[in-house]
Amino acid sequence: MFKLLTKIFIKNPNDVKDSKVRSKYGTLASIFGIVSNFIICSLKFVVGLLFNIISITADAVNNLTDASSSFISLIGIKLSNKPADNDHPFGHARIEYIAGFIVSILIAALGIVLIYSSVMDIIDVARGVKVNSKMGTTEFVVTLSILGFAILFKIYQALVNYSVGNKIDSSVLKATAVDSRNDVIMTSVVLIGMIINFFVPLGKVSLDGILGCLVGVFIGISGYKLILETVDPLLGKAPEKETVQAFTNKVLSYENILGIHDLQMHSYGPNCIFATCHVEIDSQIDVLISHDLIDNIEKACLEELKIFTTIHMDPVVLNDPYQDEVKHQVLSCLKDFSFPCSIHDFRIVKGPTHTNIVFDLLVPMNEKLTDTQIKNMLVARIKLINENFFAYPTIDRDYTNHLISK
């Protein structure tokens, strides 16, 4: 059904890098969630009122909150496509992350509320304040049919949200998918409790309450995990390895580009990435030619990878035998380190009594040694090679976590 809706309302459905296509996917999935949740809510609410089944009525209210989650998703996706303005020069795409965070909070809160109500139900039944009443056969069959239909529809709803969420990389739709999955579990628990209560007298034992506590814990934990996942991009999560690899491969594919370093990527929302980096170019190449090359690379990265790129050019001296020999000796010192690392921006200043060696050392972001400790260790090792070598390394951390070969 959803595939049919996709064909009707979305042109070029495979071009998910296009912000308009992505927005239409998100809007369609959110509207589908609002309508379907309202239908399920109405059916459960009618059954709950007709047969005076509180657990069904409560589950109906839960589906009403699911419709609210879909509405939040719809608003978040719509607002995230607002163009950049003076106050937000990088656009509004991160609003989608905020919407996903709100949905995650609702899921965690629902788990807490469910645990509380379940515990109170267990206490009330144990004290005799509430009595486990047996359903009639007609009530049982009708309720069983409605809940069975709701579970199947919720499974389909979760699959739709998962599929679209992964397709357009939407954190808010992924959170909504988890919410739908939790509803399947919650409604299944209500159904199991109802079946057991119909066939087996429970006395002062609240099976609904016991199962409700277990489901509440599960939902609370899933909500907590979702909160962490949606907060990550807001804090500044490292880019995906595939994104870094595609970017570096693109830059290095151009003739005369000798290397790339100091790469930083900042995400301002799905398909809204800004990158800065340094590239090494032979110092003998005319600066106008090098500048033209850099312009072409920046343009290609935006058009082909959808990455807004700013590149700094570093001229490199080639075919200097003495510099090459010194660099080779410095590289041999890196083998003694327990962590992967690499050097760039290597240059020397040779004097009559000593040689100054200047370079940057790229180390992993999670390396526990401080920059000062690493620097002192490296300077000491280079000094052992030649006492006339004076090293001045600058320690760089790998902000992408993917530039250094592991």
Side-chain angles (χ1 to χ4, degrees):
M1 180 174 66
F2 192 81
K3 288 185 178 180
L4 177 61
L5 294 174
T6 300
K7 291 180 180 179
I8 295 173
F9 292 104
I10 302 178
K11 295 181 180 179
N12 302 320
N14 292 324
D15 188 15
V16 293
K17 291 290 185 180
D18 188 322
S19 59
K20 292 182 179 179
V21 172
R22 189 177 180 281
S23 177
K24 288 181 179 179
Y25 263 114
T27 300
L28 186 60
S30 298
I31 292 175
F32 174 75
I34 293 171
V35 174
S36 59
N37 279 315
F38 185 76
I39 292 173
I40 296 173
C41 170
S42 300
L43 290 174
K44 290 181 180 179
F45 199 70
V46 169
V47 170
L49 288 181
L50 283 177
F51 303 136
N52 193 27
I53 307 173
I54 298 176
S55 60
I56 304 296
T57 306
D59 203 21
V61 173
N62 174 50
N63 290 134
L64 189 60
T65 62
D66 296 336
S68 301
S69 297
S70 296
F71 181 73
I72 292 172
S73 302
L74 176 62
I75 297 300
I77 291 172
K78 283 292 185 182
L79 291 178
S80 67
N81 282 308
K82 285 180 60 180
D85 53 35
N86 289 336
D87 294 327
H88 307 92
F90 300 108
H92 298 78
R94 281 185 176 176
I95 290 178
E96 189 172 329
Y97 297 146
I98 298 174
F101 177 71
I102 294 173
V103 173
S104 303
I105 291 290
L106 290 176
I107 293 173
L110 177 62
I112 295 172
V113 171
L114 182 58
I115 292 172
Y116 174 78
S117 60
S118 299
V119 170
M120 295 306 297
D121 188 77
I122 293 171
I123 294 173
D124 288 344
V125 172
R127 290 178 175 177
V129 176
K130 179 180 177 181
V131 179
N132 286 316
S133 57
K134 186 177 180 180
M135 282 185 177
T137 303
T138 302
E139 297 173 356
F140 177 75
V141 172
V142 172
T143 306
L144 186 68
S145 302
I146 294 297
L147 293 184
F149 168 78
I151 290 171
L152 293 176
F153 207 91
K154 271 292 181 178
I155 291 174
Y156 180 70
Q157 190 184 89
L159 292 175
V160 167
N161 285 320
Y162 269 124
S163 176
V164 178
N166 288 326
K167 192 177 186 69
I168 66 174
D169 190 25
S170 170
S171 59
V172 66
L173 286 181
K174 291 177 184 178
T176 304
V178 173
D179 195 19
S180 298
R181 180 203 64 187
N182 291 343
D183 292 335
V184 171
I185 297 172
M186 184 182 295
T187 303
S188 298
V189 167
V190 172
L191 182 60
I192 292 171
M194 185 191 72
I195 293 173
I196 294 176
N197 191 41
F198 182 77
F199 291 104
V200 181
L202 298 174
K204 291 188 177 183
V205 177
S206 174
L207 182 61
D208 282 344
I210 296 171
L211 295 176
C213 281
L214 295 176
V215 174
V217 170
F218 173 80
I219 292 175
I221 292 174
S222 64
Y224 172 73
K225 290 180 178 179
L226 275 175
I227 290 172
L228 297 181
E229 291 177 10
T230 52
V231 164
D232 268 354
L234 291 173
L235 292 177
K237 184 180 179 181
E240 298 294 332
K241 182 177 181 179
E242 293 75 15
T243 303
V244 175
Q245 194 66 55
F247 181 83
T248 54
N249 287 345
K250 184 62 184 176
V251 173
L252 293 174
S253 67
Y254 285 80
E255 188 177 1
N256 295 324
I257 299 298
L258 304 176
I260 179 174
H261 56 268
D262 287 346
L263 172 61
Q264 295 187 28
M265 286 186 172
H266 305 277
S267 173
Y268 288 88
N271 300 332
C272 187
I273 298 175
F274 288 77
T276 61
C277 68
H278 291 206
V279 298
E280 297 175 346
I281 298 180
D282 186 350
S283 61
Q284 297 301 313
I285 298 177
D286 186 275
V287 67
L288 294 178
I289 296 176
S290 298
H291 185 270
D292 183 69
L293 174 62
I294 295 301
D295 281 346
N296 290 334
I297 297 174
E298 290 175 341
K299 183 179 179 182
C301 287
L302 179 58
E303 292 178 349
E304 300 176 25
L305 303 178
K306 309 299 182 184
I307 297 177
F308 298 87
T309 305
T310 301
I311 297 177
H312 173 80
M313 179 182 67
D314 284 341
V316 176
V317 176
L318 299 179
N319 302 319
D320 182 334
Y322 181 68
Q323 177 174 287
D324 292 342
E325 174 60 24
V326 173
K327 184 176 182 179
H328 177 73
Q329 292 176 320
V330 171
L331 287 173
S332 67
C333 296
L334 303 184
K335 297 177 182 179
D336 296 331
F337 285 117
S338 60
F339 51 84
C341 53
S342 63
I343 64 174
H344 57 83
D345 282 342
F346 189 90
R347 57 193 183 277
I348 63 172
V349 180
K350 186 179 180 182
T353 61
H354 67 279
T355 298
N356 289 335
I357 306 172
V358 184
F359 60 93
D360 290 2
L361 178 72
L362 184 65
V363 302
M365 176 60 71
N366 60 355
E367 173 53 45
K368 294 181 179 180
L369 291 176
T370 66
D371 291 358
T372 301
Q373 289 174 322
I374 296 173
K375 184 176 181 179
N376 290 339
M377 289 169 60
L378 185 56
V379 169
R381 291 181 184 184
I382 293 176
K383 199 70 174 176
L384 291 176
I385 296 176
N386 190 324
E387 62 178 10
N388 294 321
F389 283 171
F390 289 80
Y392 299 94
T394 298
I395 308 302
D396 286 343
R397 296 282 174 168
D398 182 8
Y399 289 102
T400 68
N401 291 328
H402 305 300
L403 279 183
I404 308 176
S405 59
K406 300 294 190 292

